[in-house]
Amino acid sequence: MKVKEVADLVGISVRTLHHYDEIGLLTPDETTEAGYRLYSDDNLETLQQILFFKELGFPLKKIKEIINSPSFDRREALKLHRKMLVEKRTRLDKMISTIDKTIEHKKGAIQMTNKEKFEGFDFSQNPYEKEARERWGDEAVDRSNAKLKSMTEEERKALGDRMNEIYRNLADLRDTSPESEEAQAAIKEWYDFLNSDSGNHYSLEAFKGLGQMYVDDERFTKNIDQFGEGLSRFMRDAMAVYADKNKE
C-alpha cells in the first residue's frame, strides 16, 4: 500500500507516517525508484502496535526501543495492550458514572457523599514514575516522593500554584528570544524551583537534558503546551541557553 492509502485506512496524516519513517520507527519494506513508500502487511501490523502503545501514553522514543528490542513479542504485546486498555476503560467507566451522578446531584434528584464525588480518580500511582526511575535513578525519585509526602495538603497546593505561575510567566514570553534577559530570568526561576522545591537537584547538564525531553516526550509536550502552543520548545531553548551560560 502507498503512504496515502495507509494514511486513509488508519486515519492518520501522511506527514505522521513520513515522520515515523524519518525517525526509524516505521520504515516501509519497499521504496520505488520514483521514491514512493510501499507498506507491507507486516508494516501495517507494526503500525497497529505503535498506535496501541501511543494510545496508552508511551512516547515515540520508548515505542521505538520496545518494538526494536530482540525480545519483543507481538502476541505478548497485544495481551499487554488489552490488559492496560481494560484497566483504562474500567477507570473511565467509573468516572463517567461519577459525572452522571454529579449531574443528578446538581438537579437535586439524588444525594452524593463526598467520597462518591471522587470515585474513578486514582492518583495512587504515577504513570511516569517507572520511567523516571529508569532515567534518573531510584534515589532522585525517592527523594522527590519523600519531599512531597512530608508536605501538608496546603503546602502541596501552594507548590502546584507556584509551578503553574512559572509556566504562565514563561508562556507570556514564548514569542521572545530565549536568550533575552526576561526569558533567562524566568527560566532561572524554573531552575531554582526544581532544585529548591521538588526535592531534586538538577545539574546544569541534567537541566538542559530535561528541557530536551519536554520536546522529545509527547506527554511532556502536551502538558506544557496547555499553557501556550510552543511553550515546550521555548523552554527547551531557554534551558539550553541558561545551562551553557552558567557552566563553570
Side-chain angles (χ1 to χ4, degrees), residues 168-230:
R168 285 191 290 267
N169 185 29
L170 285 163
D172 289 340
L173 298 169
R174 70 186 187 279
D175 292 327
T176 66
S177 169
E179 299 182 4
S180 70
E181 288 187 13
E182 279 188 310
Q184 286 300 294
I187 212 66
K188 182 181 185 302
E189 288 188 7
W190 182 235
Y191 180 73
D192 292 342
F193 172 83
L194 290 175
N195 283 324
S196 64
D197 294 323
S198 72
N200 282 311
H201 177 72
Y202 286 89
S203 66
L204 289 169
E205 194 61 32
F207 185 61
K208 183 176 181 178
L210 182 65
Q212 185 62 47
M213 193 190 307
Y214 292 167
V215 175
D216 291 343
D217 191 320
E218 292 181 340
R219 296 169 302 179
F220 281 100
T221 304
K222 182 178 179 180
N223 288 333
I224 292 172
D225 282 4
Q226 291 182 64
F227 291 87
E229 185 68 30

Side-chain angles (χ1 to χ4, degrees), residues 63-112:
I63 297 172
K64 182 180 176 180
E65 290 176 10
I66 293 171
I67 65 175
N68 288 333
S69 171
S71 61
F72 179 67
D73 185 301
R74 287 184 176 179
R75 184 173 297 180
E76 289 302 313
L78 287 169
K79 291 179 181 178
L80 176 63
H81 294 322
R82 188 181 192 285
K83 178 177 178 292
M84 296 177 74
L85 287 168
V86 167
E87 291 175 355
K88 183 177 180 180
R89 180 181 66 186
T90 299
R91 185 171 63 84
L92 290 174
D93 283 344
K94 287 182 180 178
M95 295 184 76
I96 291 170
S97 176
T98 298
I99 290 174
D100 291 339
K101 288 180 181 178
T102 303
I103 291 173
E104 293 302 306
H105 173 71
K106 289 293 184 183
K107 291 179 180 178
I110 63 170
Q111 289 295 318
M112 291 181 75

